[in-house]
Amino acid sequence: MRRSPGGTIIAALVVAAAAITVVTAAPMSATAAAVDPYAWRNVRIDGGGFVPGVVFNPGEQNLIYARTDIGGAYRWNQSGQSWTPLLDWVGQDDWGHNGVLSIAPDPVETNRVYAAVGMYTNSWDPNNGAILRSTDKGATWQQTNLPFKVGGNMPGRGMGERLAVDPANHKNVYFAAEGGNGLWRSTDYGVTWARVANFPNVGNYVQDPADTNGYLNQNQGLTWVTFSGAQIYVGVADKDNPVYRSLDSGATWERVAGQPTGYIAHKGVIQGKYLFIATSDTGGPYDGAAGQVYRLDTATGAWTDISPTPVADRYYGYSGLTVDTLHPGTLMVATQISWWPDAIFFRSTDYGATWTRAWDWTSYPSRSKRYTLDISANPWLDFNSTAQAPEESPKLGWMNESLAIDPFDSNRMLYGTGATLYGTTDLTKWDSGGTITIKPTAKGIEETAVLDLASPPSGAPLVSALGDIGGFYHADLDTVPANFHDTPSLGSNTSLDFAELSPSFFVRVGNADAAPHIGISNDGGKSWYQGQEPSGVTGGGTVAVGADAGNVVWSPAGTGVHYSTTRGSTWTASSGIPAGAIVESDRVNPKTFFAYAGGKFYTSTDGGATFTAQSVALPTTGRLHLKAVPGIAGEVWVAASTGLFRSTDAGATFVKVSAVAEGVNVAFGKAAPGATHPAVFLVGTVDGVDGVFRSDDTGASFVRINDDKHQYGNAGDALAGDPRIWGRVYLGTNGRGIFYADRTGPVPSPSSTSPSPSISVSPSTSVSPSTSVSPSTSVSPSTSSSAGTGCTATYKVTGSWTGGFQGEVTVTNNGSTATTGWTVKWAWTTGQTVTQSWGGTATQAGTAVTVTNASYNGALASGASTTFGFLGSTTGTTNPVPSPVSCSRVP
């Protein structure tokens, strides 16, 4: 599947130019980051992106490599029937090296493998490409930088393989470069490289010379290299001159006489004395409407058109080309693009003289098939659809540039699509009239681009927003979900959020080509319905949900910021805030929202109706994320290119965390044992080191929780802490999917965890919800008021739903002097349990509940009042108000 080359990619390239100033007396101090050992695992989706290359090492059985356009390279693990990632060490500085244009195993010394890496050849990738080399099957790598860029995610990336080892002299490695850079060769196992100066053609095919984005106007250059003894054949993206060769091990080169013209040779494969080529009229991988398959007799120089289908009947080009090395004359080729009704695979056992198809028309719209497609391992591959004949769901595939028969097992074939990797282990049944079984073979390959993550305090541990395939509700992180977000399907989902105090309510938004661009959920993101949207919306932007689900603020593409008080059924334009702002909600106060735009921080205290710019100045360029803290009203953090900043007064002032030089993203999770403030997770730079960090003392100190082997390239635009498991973090990447990470060391005792400092909240910021949680079953508010020693506590149920409720308690100082603190107690009688509280610290022992004041509301003047709120769970059908509710004051 195609990733947009903009968005998070472009954001990663911009260097901050504006300095940040804060309204504060002094920066927060921090100590050097220690290390806390973690285990990192992928949240299972399996696939989710384009697999342009699959390569078997012909020298060692079961040694197979796969390459992806933005998600790195993988090696097959036969015992686990899964793939092992090989480039997770790629970091933020060279994130483009997760784009793999080509991969080449050494057939002689099979521990050796090479990769040509780089993601874009235009300005989106700031770095040149490189050739990586490994002597341990990709476990570790060494790198030689190239003097030009490499485009692992550029047009034409499915052609190849562009990188190849000469089996006659395996010290020699060739690289067929794009961009007019010609043919390159190493004669020392890939350590040093030089351009082959006498290679006569650098290619000339450009998909769109007028493209102003710099993405479609690149010369796609050379396309593949293959060998036959002392002969070397090279494909060129030149429709008049698509194939060249050397007859003397690369000393001299010539255009192959008599070759077919008019198309680009995507693939070139040698079998015995024959060179087979598969051609298309474009470089792909998304298009291609015509092409041919040809065979060259390398001994006589005779070319033969062996195209499976006459030109007049064709609406596709050819790519994915493979031969069965154990059975001379057996070869297969795939349609490079055949969207309707499906991809077509062709198979020949007589050197291309005759062909059979994976499926044939019977009486329209019916088809007969030589295969069954079993997606039970990855059921989402049906794309949540039931197609009408002649189309089917799931499809056999699309963008089928990679197709490979195992050189040691004629029954095994693998092929890539725009969404996954498929395979079969009974391929030869095709020839005897049987039916082969095709299944997903992508376990371990995680290739999604992650745009947002949410880990609510109840329900599924993780809900995601992804590029291309939308996102998932993950009830089990180690199980592939049955389907992705649907009804509505929003294309690439750009943002999602939930109501912190009513976490069953979710909103997500996305970049569909047309409306809808918004979905609403009342069951924690498991199922969705279509929301309404303001006029002019063209894309998802960002969305924020008020703490009690009463207000939603949406900053979509195409129009200005809007707010809704009807759960997305009606919208009103917000004032005081520019279009395109990033929006976020306070996680306690339902009416407080935050935003960033153009270097300014904005606050709304009326549910998003109006925003006010604060005096703090933030960077105007670079990546920036703001997150509010669960359970603490008015506390919001900003991760920006110039550092990490914390506000405890709803953005009026910020304090810079001194050890953090750069922030990519920040998130919050369950507090450490003995701590009261949620754990702080950071993707950024601490003490000069890039990484993922955790702080259990509000930024006073950090521990690094990843290492140099687990960096995941361009990561961190999506980040979430788990509110239920201390230490767990969810990390989104651009191409390596979603990771979850857990501590592997012992849990420290509460006494070893530094207490969090006092939290200061601006007096103008309310800390108790002023509106009730929107329940599925409404009830009339019930109250109980009891006097205590010098204070009164009034208990009220403000909302109720199946299995839970929200309560609020008002504490009033009845004494003649001010208090410095207070305690409220009650006992429940029907199995209720506190699940969350704000404005006070709640503990429960059996049926007895005790709530003590927060740091900011213990001091009450005579006659003054404050409130605290809580969420509770119920086990029965009744929820009586407790009585008595006692209150005691300090002093």
Side-chain angles (χ1 to χ4, degrees):
M1 291 188 168
R2 181 175 186 176
R3 276 56 162 209
S4 167
T8 57
I9 297 289
I10 294 176
L13 312 179
V14 183
V15 178
I20 185 166
T21 59
V22 293
V23 184
T24 184
M28 296 171 59
S29 62
T31 58
V35 174
D36 197 10
Y38 263 66
W40 290 82
R41 303 176 183 87
N42 268 117
V43 176
R44 277 195 68 189
I45 294 171
D46 289 8
F50 181 35
V51 182
V54 180
V55 182
F56 287 84
N57 189 321
E60 182 176 334
Q61 190 170 12
N62 295 321
L63 182 52
I64 317 166
Y65 296 94
R67 63 180 175 92
T68 69
D69 49 8
I70 65 171
Y74 295 81
R75 183 185 64 243
W76 177 248
N77 174 5
Q78 179 68 14
S79 62
Q81 294 291 290
S82 62
W83 295 90
T84 300
L86 302 179
L87 299 183
D88 284 352
W89 51 270
V90 171
Q92 294 278 0
D93 290 341
D94 55 359
W95 56 264
H97 289 176
N98 266 334
V100 185
L101 181 66
S102 191
I103 196 161
D106 187 326
V108 181
E109 290 185 54
T110 58
N111 282 346
R112 295 184 182 271
V113 63
Y114 304 87
V117 297
M119 201 168 292
Y120 298 102
T121 58
N122 59 10
S123 61
W124 300 337
D125 190 335
N127 299 316
N128 282 343
I131 303 294
L132 306 180
R133 64 188 185 275
S134 173
T135 57
D136 52 15
K137 301 179 180 178
T140 60
W141 299 85
Q142 292 178 294
Q143 176 175 317
T144 300
N145 293 327
L146 294 169
F148 51 84
K149 293 184 177 183
V150 169
N153 196 32
M154 294 293 287
R157 60 190 178 275
M159 297 191 285
E161 291 295 312
R162 286 177 160 98
L163 195 62
V165 177
D166 186 347
N169 184 355
H170 70 112
K171 290 183 178 180
N172 295 340
V173 188
Y174 285 82
F175 176 48
E178 323 133 284
N181 292 298
L183 183 66
W184 287 67
R185 176 173 55 209
S186 171
T187 58
D188 55 6
Y189 298 107
V191 178
T192 61
W193 291 82
R195 182 170 176 170
V196 179
N198 64 340
F199 189 81
N201 192 338
V202 299
N204 60 20
Y205 174 74
V206 175
Q207 181 171 337
D208 182 4
D211 176 39
T212 58
N213 248 338
Y215 185 69
L216 302 178
N217 59 0
Q218 177 198 226
N219 175 3
Q220 295 187 18
L222 310 187
T223 59
W224 47 265
V225 180
T226 193
F227 304 91
S228 177
Q231 300 181 19
I232 308 172
Y233 290 84
V234 178
V236 179
D238 177 348
K239 292 184 179 181
D240 294 323
N241 308 282
V243 183
Y244 286 76
R245 72 179 175 187
S246 171
L247 300 177
D248 51 14
S249 300
T252 62
W253 299 89
E254 65 180 15
R255 179 186 186 275
V256 180
Q259 64 184 271
T261 60
Y263 301 108
I264 301 168
H266 277 226
K267 304 287 180 180
V269 181
I270 293 283
Q271 186 188 56
K273 69 172 184 174
Y274 293 112
L275 168 71
F276 299 94
I277 65 170
T279 72
S280 180
D281 60 343
T282 73
Y286 312 106
D287 51 1
Q292 296 174 303
V293 182
Y294 263 79
R295 182 185 71 213
L296 170 67
D297 186 325
T298 60
T300 67
W303 287 92
T304 304
D305 184 350
I306 59 170
S307 303
T309 310
V311 174
D313 295 339
R314 229 175 288 146
Y315 52 91
Y316 43 78
Y318 295 100
S319 188
L321 176 68
T322 185
V323 297
D324 184 342
T325 59
L326 300 178
H327 294 88
T330 296
L331 66 152
M332 295 182 69
V333 69
T335 52
Q336 191 259 312
I337 277 292
S338 175
W339 291 108
W340 184 93
D342 208 340
I344 312 170
F345 295 157
F346 302 90
R347 181 173 170 88
S348 174
T349 57
D350 54 11
Y351 296 96
T354 61
W355 298 86
T356 52
R357 293 164 47 122
W359 57 266
D360 291 286
W361 294 108
T362 54
S363 57
Y364 185 87
S366 299
R367 293 186 283 155
S368 63
K369 299 183 297 182
R370 287 183 169 85
Y371 67 92
T372 59
L373 188 51
D374 175 8
I375 62 166
S376 56
N378 300 151
W380 63 265
L381 287 168
D382 65 3
F383 277 64
N384 302 340
S385 66
T386 303
Q388 292 186 338
E391 293 191 87
E392 294 183 348
S393 185
K395 281 183 175 289
L396 188 60
W398 60 94
M399 295 162 59
N400 303 121
E401 301 257 32
S402 56
L403 183 70
I405 298 174
D406 189 339
F408 294 92
D409 182 357
S410 299
N411 271 311
R412 177 155 67 171
M413 177 186 71
L414 297 173
Y415 71 92
T417 76
T420 192
L421 187 69
Y422 281 115
T424 182
T425 57
D426 54 8
L427 180 60
T428 60
K429 286 183 179 180
W430 181 312
D431 304 324
S432 59
T435 300
I436 69 173
T437 300
I438 297 173
K439 298 181 179 181
T441 331
K443 183 180 179 182
I445 294 178
E446 296 292 343
E447 205 192 343
T448 51
V450 188
L451 303 182
D452 205 358
L453 296 170
S455 182
S458 60
L462 188 68
V463 184
S464 58
L466 306 179
D468 295 329
I469 57 175
F472 292 88
Y473 173 94
H474 262 96
D476 183 342
L477 303 175
D478 300 314
T479 300
V480 178
N483 53 269
F484 50 76
H485 298 322
D486 200 15
T487 318
S489 176
L490 307 177
S492 291
N493 284 208
T494 59
S495 178
L496 80 166
D497 195 15
F498 62 91
E500 188 71 41
L501 307 181
S502 183
S504 60
F505 181 70
F506 262 80
V507 179
R508 62 182 172 90
V509 293
N511 284 344
D513 291 336
H517 297 97
I518 183 169
I520 310 294
S521 174
N522 287 316
D523 58 6
K526 186 175 183 180
S527 62
W528 301 84
Y529 64 88
Q530 178 180 330
Q532 302 302 309
E533 58 190 68
S535 175
V537 173
T538 60
T542 58
V543 69
V545 179
D548 68 349
N551 289 62
V552 179
V553 176
W554 185 14
S555 177
T559 189
V561 178
H562 284 68
Y563 71 101
S564 173
T565 60
T566 57
R567 295 195 169 201
S569 62
T570 59
W571 295 90
T572 304
S574 302
S575 64
I577 185 170
I582 301 169
V583 295
E584 168 75 355
S585 64
D586 190 273
R587 310 313 285 181
V588 174
N589 193 320
K591 295 295 186 180
T592 299
F593 288 82
F594 309 110
Y596 162 86
K600 294 182 178 181
F601 189 89
Y602 297 81
T603 303
S604 171
T605 58
D606 56 7
T610 61
F611 281 83
T612 301
Q614 305 290 356
S615 57
V616 62
L618 295 171
T620 57
T621 57
R623 288 195 278 185
L624 183 145
H625 292 87
L626 57 149
K627 297 284 181 66
V629 181
I632 305 176
E635 183 169 344
V636 60
W637 295 53
V638 175
S641 56
T642 48
L644 179 65
F645 305 89
R646 176 190 180 205
S647 172
T648 59
D649 53 12
T653 61
F654 279 84
V655 176
K656 187 178 188 298
V657 179
S658 62
V660 180
E662 179 180 1
V664 173
N665 208 341
V666 65
F668 307 96
K670 184 177 181 178
T676 58
H677 191 281
V680 180
F681 294 98
L682 171 75
V683 177
T685 305
V686 174
D687 299 324
V689 177
D690 293 341
V692 186
F693 301 88
R694 191 192 76 244
S695 173
D696 294 319
D697 52 15
T698 63
S701 62
F702 283 91
V703 292
R704 189 183 183 195
I705 62 176
N706 73 323
D707 55 42
D708 289 346
K709 294 181 179 180
H710 302 89
Q711 299 191 76
Y712 311 118
N714 186 14
D717 277 312
L719 186 71
D722 193 304
R724 291 171 268 189
I725 301 174
W726 171 58
R728 174 173 289 181
V729 66
Y730 303 97
L731 175 68
T733 73
N734 187 45
R736 270 291 283 125
I738 308 168
F739 285 89
Y740 73 101
D742 289 309
R743 300 180 68 258
T744 57
V747 177
S749 63
S751 61
S752 67
T753 304
S754 301
S756 74
S758 299
I759 309 299
S760 175
V761 179
S762 170
S764 62
T765 302
S766 171
V767 297
S768 63
S770 58
T771 57
S772 65
V773 173
S774 299
S776 56
T777 303
S778 62
V779 297
S780 301
S782 302
T783 63
S784 174
S785 180
S786 299
T789 307
C791 62
T792 299
T794 303
Y795 179 115
K796 179 171 63 175
V797 175
T798 59
S800 183
W801 55 93
T802 301
F805 67 103
Q806 180 175 344
E808 182 179 277
V809 176
T810 300
V811 178
T812 303
N813 177 17
N814 296 326
S816 59
T817 60
T819 67
T820 58
W822 46 261
T823 300
V824 174
K825 296 182 179 181
W826 69 81
W828 275 319
T829 57
T830 57
Q832 300 100 317
T833 303
V834 174
T835 59
Q836 188 173 350
S837 64
W838 56 94
T841 301
T843 59
Q844 184 170 354
T847 62
V849 179
T850 301
V851 183
T852 57
N853 59 275
S855 59
Y856 54 82
N857 64 356
L860 296 176
S862 176
S865 297
T866 189
T867 60
F868 65 86
F870 61 90
L871 297 180
S873 63
T874 58
T875 57
T877 58
T878 61
N879 180 29
V881 172
S883 181
V885 179
S886 67
C887 181
S888 58
R889 51 168 281 170
V890 181

